Amino acid sequence: MNIIFLAIVMIAFLVAAMRQFAWSGDGQSPMELLGAGMIKAAEGSVTLALGLIGVMALFLGLMKVAEAGGLLTIVARLLRPLMVRLFPEVPADHPAMGAMIMNFSANVLGLGNAATPFGIRAMQELDRLNPYKGTATNAMALFLAINTSSITLLPTGVIAIRAAAGSTDPAGILPTTLFATICSTTVAIVMAKLLQRYWSANPADLQITPEKTEAETVSVPLPESDAPAGEGYPAWVSALALGIILAMVPVTILHGRTIAPWIIPGLMVLLLGFGAIKRVKIYEVFVEGAKDGFQVAVRIIPYLVAILVAVAMFRASGALEMLITPLGAITNLVGLPPEALPMALLRPLSGSGAYGIMASIINDPAIGPDSYTGYLVSTLQGSTETTFYVLAVYFGAVNIRRLRHTLAAALSADLAGIIAATAICLVLFGALR
């Protein structure tokens, strides 16, 4: 991100400088426009974060109630029968399986902060089964490929940002996000399974020392808070839940505009009701989660200032127009407008960068959150992951140097997510173009 940030600023400055030397003297000079754009973006980023505080506090408070009531464990038990088939090389009772299930469950519910610790723990446990230290196993590659594209039922963060930007339909991205993540996750699994045949786990050009095999590995149980309860629901229950999720796609596509107004009020009633049934002290737990939301909203202010100022410089200098115009003319033909192209390109590289671009787009009065472009960038943010960040953090936790087919599978999933997001937004919101 350091290189990306510096490159955006330097390119913007150089382009503005060249335009300044060619300036005829009419109106504001390119450098004046550049400086004014920087100041306006810095002020706007803080205003955006302040507007986000209340909405973020609301959603994180609700998710805290759901988590305290055991919703995460319920989702984990639903996933268990599927997981043992996806990862046949990992014993069903191994701690790695429990950590992976909890990681996926947190991602499904939009609990990104909870997903990362589970993911790192899963990688550490998978490394215990790794006979070739420093090289990614098939299970590691599949786990991270799914992680970069995992199905999201509740993209609460993006909904909060859209609400703060004044959207009249902040939850309208639920069907588009669900469709895009189902497609990207399917591609991630298929590509990981196919590509593992062509990447050897023990290349001759690397000196790799076999260590403990699966049979020799000592199983270390997860702490009680990290382990899913029980052995999982019967397979038919998991299959039924998966069928319901898949059935939600056509339902939300056909009746999305009718359902959308009910989602946020219904979500609050359902989650608080779930917590009450589970005898959670819903008020105290909600407030505790809302505190986390306040802290998150305040903590992102420096990131918003940095990226929004850099993006504003890139736009005000004319550099963005020079880059996007030729590419955007091509991508616009397939439903990816020039304004959304930077978002699609930057999302796998930088989460904060893509976040800033999305925020700047949906807060642009000329575009707005409820335009076709606003829905598209919101869907891209909610249905894709920062691939290189995930690989760096998770593989770095266990000192994996040889990624094998992980990156190829993850980038294939990213591409599938972008294509699927564009396609579903064209179907649902194409009339807004």
Side-chain angles (χ1 to χ4, degrees), residues 293-305:
F294 178 87
Q295 293 170 358
V296 169
V298 172
R299 193 163 55 242
I300 65 175
I301 290 178
Y303 300 97
L304 280 176
V305 172

Side-chain angles (χ1 to χ4, degrees), residues 408-433:
L411 291 179
S412 298
D414 287 337
L415 179 60
I418 293 171
I419 294 172
T422 304
I424 192 62
C425 285
L426 274 174
V427 171
L428 294 183
F429 310 113
L432 301 175
R433 294 185 69 187

Side-chain angles (χ1 to χ4, degrees), residues 3-349:
I3 296 175
I4 294 173
F5 179 68
L6 180 61
I8 292 174
V9 172
M10 295 301 295
I11 292 172
F13 179 81
L14 291 175
V15 172
M18 289 189 293
R19 294 180 63 195
Q20 179 75 19
F21 289 127
W23 180 54
S24 62
D26 297 329
Q28 283 187 298
S29 70
M31 277 297 173
E32 288 175 334
L33 291 172
L34 184 64
M38 293 170 61
I39 299 301
K40 185 177 180 180
E43 294 174 349
S45 60
V46 176
T47 302
L48 172 63
L50 292 177
L52 186 60
I53 288 176
V55 187
M56 188 70 77
L58 169 64
F59 279 106
L60 288 189
L62 291 175
M63 295 313 297
K64 190 72 173 181
V65 172
E67 186 179 4
L71 185 59
L72 199 62
T73 301
I74 293 174
V75 176
R77 293 183 66 185
L78 285 171
L79 288 176
R80 190 176 182 86
L82 177 62
M83 291 288 290
V84 296
R85 289 166 176 79
L86 282 176
F87 297 89
E89 62 270 43
V90 179
D93 59 348
H94 194 275
M97 187 65 76
M100 286 193 295
I101 290 173
M102 296 301 283
N103 171 267
F104 291 150
S105 302
N107 276 326
V108 163
L109 296 176
L111 300 172
N113 292 336
T116 300
F118 288 129
I120 293 175
R121 181 60 184 272
M123 289 297 289
Q124 292 171 339
E125 295 297 339
L126 286 173
D127 200 46
R128 294 176 179 271
L129 302 175
N130 188 0
Y132 303 109
K133 301 303 181 184
T135 297
T137 63
N138 291 338
M140 288 179 177
L142 178 57
F143 172 63
L144 290 193
I146 296 176
N147 230 280
T148 61
S149 62
S150 56
I151 296 174
T152 304
L153 295 179
L154 298 173
T156 51
V158 181
I159 292 174
I161 296 168
R162 288 176 53 79
S167 172
T168 59
D169 184 21
I173 62 165
L174 283 177
T176 56
T177 299
L178 180 60
F179 178 82
T181 53
I182 287 176
C183 292
S184 60
T185 301
T186 301
V187 170
I189 294 171
V190 171
M191 291 300 294
K193 292 292 187 180
L194 289 176
L195 293 175
Q196 71 184 30
R197 305 174 184 179
Y198 304 102
W199 266 269
S200 172
N202 185 15
D205 58 338
L206 290 179
Q207 183 177 359
I208 301 176
T209 304
E211 297 190 8
K212 291 182 179 180
T213 63
E214 180 179 308
E216 297 169 328
T217 303
V218 178
S219 178
V220 180
L222 287 169
E224 183 178 348
S225 60
D226 287 4
E231 295 297 322
Y233 295 117
W236 69 268
V237 176
S238 299
L240 178 62
L242 179 61
I244 292 174
I245 292 174
L246 293 176
M248 288 172 60
V249 176
V251 170
T252 52
I253 290 174
L254 294 174
H255 306 287
R257 291 193 175 276
T258 303
I259 297 172
W262 293 78
I263 291 176
I264 295 178
L267 189 64
M268 184 163 188
V269 171
L270 289 175
L271 293 182
L272 291 181
F274 174 80
I277 292 172
K278 292 292 185 177
R279 298 184 179 180
V280 174
K281 295 181 179 179
I282 55 175
Y283 180 77
E284 288 85 350
V285 174
F286 178 89
V287 170
E288 190 65 29
K291 291 179 182 177
D292 294 337
F294 178 87
Q295 293 170 358
V296 169
V298 172
R299 193 163 55 242
I300 65 175
I301 290 178
Y303 300 97
L304 280 176
V305 172
I307 195 61
L308 289 184
V309 168
V311 171
M313 290 180 67
F314 207 65
R315 285 181 170 176
S317 68
L320 183 63
E321 183 179 357
M322 292 171 58
L323 174 65
I324 296 303
T325 298
L327 291 177
I330 299 173
T331 60
N332 192 48
L333 298 176
V334 294
L336 185 61
E339 298 85 358
L341 185 56
M343 173 80 184
L345 296 176
L346 191 58
R347 186 67 177 102
L349 296 172

